[in-house]
Amino acid sequence: MWKIIVRRLLIMIPQVFLLSILVFLMAKAMPGDALTGMLDPNIDPAAIEAMRERLGLNDPWYIQYWNWISNAVQGDLGQSFNFKMPVTELIGQRLMNTVWLSLVTLVLTYLIAIPLGIISGRFNDTWGDRLITGYTYVGFAAPLFIVALLMLWMFGFYFSWFPTGGSVAPGEVPGTFSYLLSKLYHMLLPALSIALITTVGTVQYLRNEIIDMKQKDFILTARAKGASESRVYNRHILRNSLLPIAAFFGYELTGLIGGTIFVESIFSYPGMGQLFLGSIVIRDFTVVTALVLLYGIATIIGSLLSDIILSIVDPRIRIK
Amino acid sequence: MALLEVRDLQVHFPIRGGLFSRQVGEVKAVDRVNLTIEAGQTYGLVGESGSGKTTTGRAIIGLNQITGGNVLFEGIDLASRGARKQNSVRREVQMIFQDPYSSLNPKKRVLDIISEPLRNFEKQSPQEEKRRVQELLEQVGLSPDNIYKYPHEFSGGQRQRIGIARAIALKPKLIIADEPVSALDVSVQAQVLNFLRDIQKELNLTYLFISHDLGIIRHMCDRIGIMYKGRHVEEGVPKDIFDNPQHIYTKRLIAAIPDIDPLQREERSNFRRSVSEDYEHAYRSYFDGDGLAYPLRSISDTHRVAMPEKG
Amino acid sequence: MAKSGTELPLPHNIDKSPSGWSILWQEIIKDKLALISLIFLAVVILGVFGTALFLDQKEIVTVDLFALYEKPSARFWLGTDYGGRDVFGQLIIGTRNSLSIGIMVTVMTGAIGILVGLVSGYFGGVIDNLFMRLVDFFMILPMLMMVIAFVTAVPKYNTLTFSLIMTAFLWMGIARLIRSKTLQEKELEYVQASRTLGSSHLKIIFKQVMPNLSSIIIVTMTLNLAANIGLESGLSFLGFGFPESTPSLGTLVSYARNPQTLESRWWIWLPASLLILVLMLSINNVGQALKRATDARQRRG
């Protein structure tokens, strides 16, 4: 057990290192640097050149990388040229918004997926099952941004049930209960949009698993012993089918990363995805590099978590 | 000169483990095996699974890396690098595989399967190739009309015949037959075995016959080697092995052969009992400290056994 | 002459047995939903590429200030956008562009993935280790962000560079899949048989192993095609796909990022959105049907 974790952690180190180099070089390769945006004909070019020199923008790339990474390790990801504030601080605000959005999405995902999966698997080939299977079919094919857009159009604009942008209603005082409620209210529609799509995998998995399990010998034995139908499901089938779902949690997390970019952009939700898109347009590359690095590390940790949980839950996977 | 001479053949597999999958040990799958096969003869290798008999065969044909020793085929050492690059050796040693289901590519038609070696070694026109494949099919007792069929349309015995047709397509000298009938129905086994003997005479083939079934080995072979844990325990002509087994492992194998003659029941069970007693009391004198066999020692012109010198 | 034994004589017909492809085709035809999807796709592809021949892309993307935000009419079947450009024309050209790039990316990722997977799985050992570490590394990259960043970083990008960038971050999935299937396949005796028959590694990989993976390759490529079209239009939607002079389906949808357009000018973005949805659904239907067909064959076989 510990061997696996140590091994995975050891693999992580070069991965993070490579990721940071790649990210840094990519940012360097982007046309123009942060000062290009400030090019104002009234400013003396010599002054800009002096500023470049002072910021170290003329050093060779490995020196710049070294400065950047050694600061990053200490938690200093540099200054955002656009917002004129430390990147860490800037991301910090947005990070919480995205984390909360992801959490609400995960909760919604499981809230939708587990009952649907169980119904679909337990009563397979009834019309209820067919309806759910149809939904998974569409959900599997549908791209997130279209679903999110349709949701916003329908429930945000047409019915006006939900707010169409932002993360909290203006004028709410932080810390109050109504502030919290407003935040949740703003998150609901974006989260639901993602959840409608991410549930699909779990529903399909649960359905197949339960249908497979039904014919297994140990279930037949349980039935033959006279266990009631609900006991068969609760004690035997679900216990075996639901555990791996817990393990997919980490992968689910990494899947959310791509999703939040679309959804935050569509719902103008001030999270990291929106910050990323905004920063890349104005070439605020300190923010871009920091965000890509952060997302990359989140992916690594997500898959690490899943592998570990999976190997705890399912002893068959515990080879190597 | 013998057709094939194997000297001190070793095949070791690394065991990997630990944090960085370092090599932490090795399995000696074949541990200093010697054997000699004369042209036109059949040499039988017997042993339980994991005894190294299959690995020996696979090492001779080049499917397993040889760790040490020599494999002399007509005087050419196949263990040396580059020896197999010479096409003559590669086409003269062929193999018949155990599983007729997985040894034929399911996506290929019979024509493509049998002509694979022809395409590799002989530049023939498609017509010549097709004619040759039809000839081969006839030779193994299948209708030449089958060339456009897929393997799944044939029975196990028929598939094995296709495998044999493929192996003899290049007119090889040595054929390594790795459990060629153990995946087949008993009713078909005899047919395929007899057929193997027929083509042996017809094409003057030499066989290295690998099996766990002593009955088949007795039926087929001119010389028999018994393997246990990567080493030979006994070697000799069938008479030596079956009528005068020396090593306890050979004795136990022979004692396990079922006999349906009720008149010999008493005799057989006495034999079994004595073997079993011998095994319990004299285990030490047959195996060394690691439970492995001792080196072979001649006890007659034909008979060699892995037992330490008495005294 | 060898004895022919007592096994059942095979019927005397020399006709060819149906190949794997024709069986696959029959399965698709039996599956009504997949068949409808396939016909729909054929109609869309033929229609779009055919109509696009008669449409002038330059003319369609030229701004017409006298026809801003027009509602659907006889002249503009689906109205006009904020630049007075015909939405229907953009829809046709956009579908063509989206399909083309989807196919291009699918083929390129497929080629790389299959090659890497086959080589890695077949040879194993150091080569496999090397490739798999590379795949692992690419897997942790936040794909969407990387593509966006590269699209911004590449100085003068066009459809080719765009599809190359997408390919660079999308080949790993199929590589992994093909690798694991190759690992299983190479354990089968026919691969070893080929070795003893004198076939080279290259021949074995491409002529013996690959045909046995053909069904899984087709299924994966089909499903990937749908995903790639979705991803491309998603990127164009965010503004990091095609340049505006080359409209894609996503470009049309991206006009909906203007709340007013989203709320009250449905004709601009809704048709494109629905088309993306239906296209992806149909391709997926075909892919799923192929998947079932190959599964069923495995059960029978």
Side-chain angles (χ1 to χ4, degrees):
Chain A
M1 188 64 233
W2 284 107
K3 250 186 194 167
I4 309 169
I5 297 175
V6 171
R7 229 177 118 99
R8 285 298 314 255
L9 286 172
L10 282 177
I11 293 173
M12 254 177 78
I13 295 168
Q15 279 183 339
V16 173
F17 175 67
L18 268 176
L19 175 74
S20 69
I21 287 191
L22 189 73
V23 163
F24 182 79
L25 288 181
M26 191 182 66
K28 288 269 110 179
M30 282 183 205
D33 55 41
L35 293 184
T36 325
M38 286 166 46
L39 275 188
D40 180 337
N42 300 324
I43 299 178
D44 182 13
I48 291 180
E49 196 46 44
M51 196 155 166
R52 283 225 162 89
E53 192 60 46
R54 190 171 54 80
L55 290 169
L57 290 175
N58 290 336
D59 290 339
W61 71 268
Y62 49 86
I63 294 189
Q64 292 192 37
Y65 171 74
W66 178 248
N67 291 334
W68 174 70
I69 197 73
S70 48
N71 285 331
V73 171
Q74 295 160 26
D76 175 15
L77 287 161
Q79 280 275 334
S80 159
F81 288 97
N82 181 50
F83 293 94
K84 308 272 181 283
M85 62 196 287
V87 174
T88 342
E89 208 173 297
L90 178 66
I91 291 179
Q93 299 174 354
R94 310 296 194 100
L95 180 71
M96 284 328 286
N97 281 338
T98 299
V99 167
W100 279 112
L101 178 63
S102 306
L103 279 179
V104 173
T105 307
L106 273 179
V107 170
L108 283 176
T109 303
Y110 290 129
L111 273 182
I112 301 171
I114 292 175
L116 287 191
I118 292 174
I119 293 170
S120 195
R122 181 165 173 178
F123 306 105
N124 65 314
D125 287 333
T126 59
W127 68 264
D129 169 44
R130 256 170 241 141
L131 214 66
I132 294 168
T133 315
Y135 156 67
T136 59
Y137 239 84
V138 177
F140 182 77
L144 172 62
F145 74 99
I146 303 267
V147 172
L149 211 56
L150 291 175
M151 297 279 285
L152 176 62
W153 181 50
M154 193 164 277
F155 300 110
F157 286 105
Y158 192 79
F159 292 120
S160 300
W161 289 349
F162 291 96
T164 57
S167 71
V168 67
E172 295 286 351
V173 186
T176 58
F177 184 65
S178 70
Y179 176 85
L180 214 71
L181 225 63
S182 165
K183 280 213 124 176
L184 194 66
Y185 187 40
H186 279 78
M187 264 185 265
L188 223 50
L189 199 55
L192 193 64
S193 308
I194 310 180
L196 278 180
I197 289 194
T198 47
T199 44
V200 167
T202 314
V203 173
Q204 284 175 340
Y205 169 81
L206 250 182
R207 176 176 189 268
N208 293 340
E209 194 72 2
I210 291 175
I211 291 176
D212 270 4
M213 203 80 80
K214 271 190 205 172
Q215 273 118 37
K216 290 266 167 73
D217 285 344
F218 74 94
I219 296 300
L220 297 181
T221 313
R223 283 227 176 81
K225 284 192 311 187
S228 70
E229 202 62 3
S230 68
R231 196 183 156 85
V232 166
Y233 274 93
N234 295 336
R235 294 289 297 262
H236 296 280
I237 295 187
L238 292 184
R239 180 188 281 179
N240 278 296
S241 315
L242 283 177
L243 275 178
I245 288 182
F248 294 142
F249 168 77
Y251 298 123
E252 212 76 73
L253 211 64
T254 60
L256 283 179
I257 287 172
T260 50
I261 294 183
F262 281 115
V263 166
E264 287 178 7
S265 161
I266 289 169
F267 290 90
S268 347
Y269 182 88
M272 293 208 291
Q274 205 209 25
L275 179 66
F276 173 78
L277 290 179
S279 305
I280 213 157
V281 170
I282 55 169
R283 317 247 177 269
D284 198 346
F285 79 74
T286 35
V287 181
V288 171
T289 38
L291 282 172
V292 177
L293 196 64
L294 224 64
Y295 270 98
I297 292 173
T299 318
I300 297 176
I301 293 175
S303 69
L304 177 72
L305 268 180
S306 274
D307 284 0
I308 292 173
I309 301 175
L310 207 62
S311 66
I312 295 172
V313 168
D314 191 343
R316 282 171 301 181
I317 312 173
R318 217 175 287 161
I319 330 156
K320 274 204 193 171
Chain B
M1 182 177 62
L3 183 75
L4 180 79
E5 199 178 336
V6 175
R7 284 191 207 140
D8 278 341
L9 180 70
Q10 288 170 289
V11 180
H12 296 179
F13 296 116
I15 306 169
R16 293 187 186 281
L19 216 48
F20 299 100
S21 60
R22 276 159 306 156
Q23 188 174 333
V24 293
E26 53 185 9
V27 178
K28 296 181 174 178
V30 179
D31 192 8
R32 297 190 185 281
V33 160
N34 291 282
L35 57 90
T36 306
I37 313 177
E38 302 293 335
Q41 290 212 319
T42 302
Y43 187 100
L45 265 185
V46 203
E48 60 195 62
S49 36
S51 62
K53 56 188 194 304
T54 296
T55 312
T56 306
R58 290 170 55 99
I60 291 169
I61 200 164
L63 286 174
N64 282 130
Q65 196 91 40
I66 293 172
T67 312
N70 308 99
V71 176
L72 299 173
F73 179 77
E74 294 187 312
I76 304 168
D77 187 4
L78 300 185
S80 69
R81 283 200 164 273
R84 281 183 216 278
K85 290 254 159 39
Q86 297 166 349
N87 281 346
S88 63
V89 176
R90 273 172 49 177
R91 57 182 299 172
E92 280 169 5
V93 186
Q94 288 299 326
M95 186 153 180
I96 299 171
F97 289 85
Q98 171 174 9
D99 180 1
Y101 293 90
S102 79
S103 63
L104 305 180
N105 192 333
K107 287 272 164 146
K108 298 279 174 184
R109 298 176 191 276
V110 171
L111 174 66
D112 297 312
I113 290 173
I114 299 182
S115 64
E116 190 186 344
L118 299 174
R119 283 172 193 168
N120 286 332
F121 290 105
E122 278 165 24
K123 298 279 166 282
Q124 286 177 321
S125 71
Q127 278 77 32
E128 285 173 327
E129 222 172 70
K130 196 172 141 188
R131 211 171 310 124
R132 179 87 181 100
V133 170
Q134 287 177 326
E135 267 172 40
L136 283 164
L137 276 177
E138 237 165 54
Q139 201 165 9
V140 297
L142 292 173
S143 158
D145 299 343
N146 288 326
I147 51 171
Y148 293 117
K149 290 220 162 87
Y150 285 97
H152 68 84
E153 297 172 71
F154 297 92
S155 70
Q158 288 170 327
R159 281 162 164 247
Q160 201 57 307
R161 283 166 191 264
I162 295 172
I164 293 168
R166 175 173 66 180
I168 60 173
L170 292 170
K171 304 198 173 75
K173 290 181 179 158
L174 174 68
I175 286 187
I176 295 167
D178 182 8
E179 309 250 15
V181 294
S182 57
L184 302 178
D185 276 357
V186 181
S187 58
V188 189
Q189 285 190 354
Q191 275 175 30
V192 173
L193 287 174
N194 287 335
F195 165 70
L196 278 172
R197 296 228 305 202
D198 291 340
I199 57 163
Q200 179 172 33
K201 272 181 224 126
E202 203 178 308
L203 302 171
N204 191 28
L205 294 170
T206 308
Y207 286 142
L208 174 61
F209 201 96
I210 299 163
S211 180
H212 63 270
D213 188 329
L214 275 171
I216 290 173
I217 288 286
R218 182 179 211 167
H219 177 70
M220 292 291 291
C221 300
D222 304 302
R223 235 184 128 65
I224 296 169
I226 297 189
M227 282 184 78
Y228 177 68
K229 287 191 180 172
R231 294 185 182 180
H232 258 118
V233 294
E234 195 158 355
E235 191 192 38
V237 296
K239 219 166 128 56
D240 297 331
I241 301 290
F242 286 96
D243 299 342
N244 186 22
Q246 292 298 308
H247 198 279
I248 183 67
Y249 184 72
T250 318
K251 285 185 192 163
R252 294 185 75 205
L253 280 184
I254 287 169
I257 299 174
D259 193 332
I260 50 166
D261 186 353
L263 295 176
Q264 294 186 0
R265 192 164 64 189
E266 197 65 14
E267 195 187 326
R268 297 284 300 175
S269 66
N270 284 339
F271 177 57
R272 261 186 222 123
R273 201 168 302 123
S274 76
V275 167
S276 158
E277 263 166 34
D278 193 12
Y279 178 71
E280 263 158 40
H281 294 123
Y283 181 84
R284 283 275 143 246
S285 63
Y286 290 109
F287 297 102
D288 66 12
D290 297 327
L292 298 172
Y294 291 105
L296 283 179
R297 187 171 59 83
S298 289
I299 55 170
S300 78
D301 283 351
T302 54
H303 199 172
R304 298 193 299 158
V305 66
M307 288 203 305
E309 303 272 354
K310 291 263 158 57
Chain C
M1 205 51 240
K3 283 180 287 186
S4 73
T6 52
E7 285 161 53
L8 281 178
L10 284 154
H12 263 258
N13 55 348
I14 201 148
D15 59 345
K16 295 191 181 192
S17 311
S19 67
W21 297 99
S22 55
I23 294 174
L24 221 56
W25 175 245
Q26 280 161 21
E27 292 286 332
I28 288 281
I29 289 183
K30 262 186 251 159
D31 193 325
K32 286 286 167 293
L33 192 62
L35 188 63
I36 293 170
S37 302
L38 200 63
I39 293 170
F40 170 77
L41 281 175
V43 168
V44 167
I45 290 172
L46 286 178
V48 160
F49 281 85
T51 323
L53 286 179
F54 303 105
L55 288 175
D56 186 357
Q57 179 166 329
K58 276 225 182 66
E59 196 199 307
I60 283 169
V61 297
T62 307
V63 174
D64 178 359
L65 292 175
F66 298 103
L68 304 186
Y69 290 134
E70 283 207 15
K71 287 196 169 159
S73 64
R75 183 164 164 235
F76 303 110
W77 290 358
L78 285 171
T80 60
D81 67 2
Y82 75 95
R85 293 168 288 206
D86 179 23
V87 171
F88 181 74
Q90 288 190 66
L91 194 66
I92 297 289
I93 301 224
T95 312
R96 186 197 62 183
N97 291 343
S98 287
L99 277 174
S100 314
I101 205 143
I103 292 169
M104 217 148 93
V105 171
T106 308
V107 168
M108 286 195 291
T109 49
I112 298 175
I114 291 167
L115 197 70
V116 169
L118 279 172
V119 167
S120 199
Y122 179 81
F123 288 108
V126 182
I127 296 175
D128 182 35
N129 243 319
L130 227 68
F131 272 130
M132 283 308 112
R133 291 295 84 75
L134 191 69
V135 167
D136 283 348
F137 177 64
F138 268 88
M139 292 294 248
I140 58 150
L141 296 176
M143 185 264 293
L144 200 63
M145 289 177 136
M146 294 309 271
V147 174
I148 290 173
F150 268 88
V151 164
T152 331
V154 170
K156 258 190 77 175
Y157 87 103
N158 49 34
T159 30
L160 181 70
T161 43
F162 178 54
S163 42
L164 281 177
I165 293 171
M166 276 182 74
T167 305
F169 296 100
L170 288 172
W171 57 275
M172 303 83 68
I174 188 163
R176 264 199 179 171
L177 181 76
I178 296 295
R179 171 185 173 264
S180 71
K181 294 288 165 189
T182 309
L183 278 177
Q184 292 171 14
E185 206 65 28
K186 82 160 181 190
E187 292 306 316
L188 296 178
E189 280 184 341
Y190 76 82
V191 174
Q192 285 138 32
S194 282
R195 284 302 294 154
T196 65
L197 296 167
S199 298
S200 63
H201 289 301
L202 216 62
K203 256 191 186 167
I204 296 176
I205 291 177
F206 291 105
K207 288 200 157 167
Q208 303 287 332
V209 176
M210 200 160 86
N212 280 287
L213 304 181
S214 58
S215 48
I216 194 144
I217 289 174
I218 291 176
V219 170
T220 324
M221 297 264 275
T222 315
L223 295 177
N224 278 359
L225 176 63
N228 290 339
I229 291 175
L231 189 62
E232 178 277 318
S233 44
L235 282 164
S236 296
F237 167 78
L238 290 177
F240 297 96
F242 287 130
E244 212 168 276
S245 60
T246 330
S248 116
L249 285 173
T251 321
L252 280 172
V253 184
S254 76
Y255 296 139
R257 287 164 73 203
N258 174 349
Q260 279 178 320
T261 305
L262 178 66
E263 193 177 354
S264 47
R265 290 190 279 268
W266 57 266
W267 62 86
I268 297 175
W269 63 274
L270 194 60
S273 303
L274 293 180
L275 193 57
I276 295 174
L277 206 65
V278 179
L279 269 180
M280 286 180 65
L281 209 60
S282 318
I283 300 175
N284 265 309
N285 281 340
V286 175
Q288 300 286 1
L290 286 171
K291 199 176 191 172
R292 279 193 300 269
T294 52
D295 275 359
R297 270 169 1 99
Q298 275 158 13
R299 257 181 255 130
R300 253 188 275 148

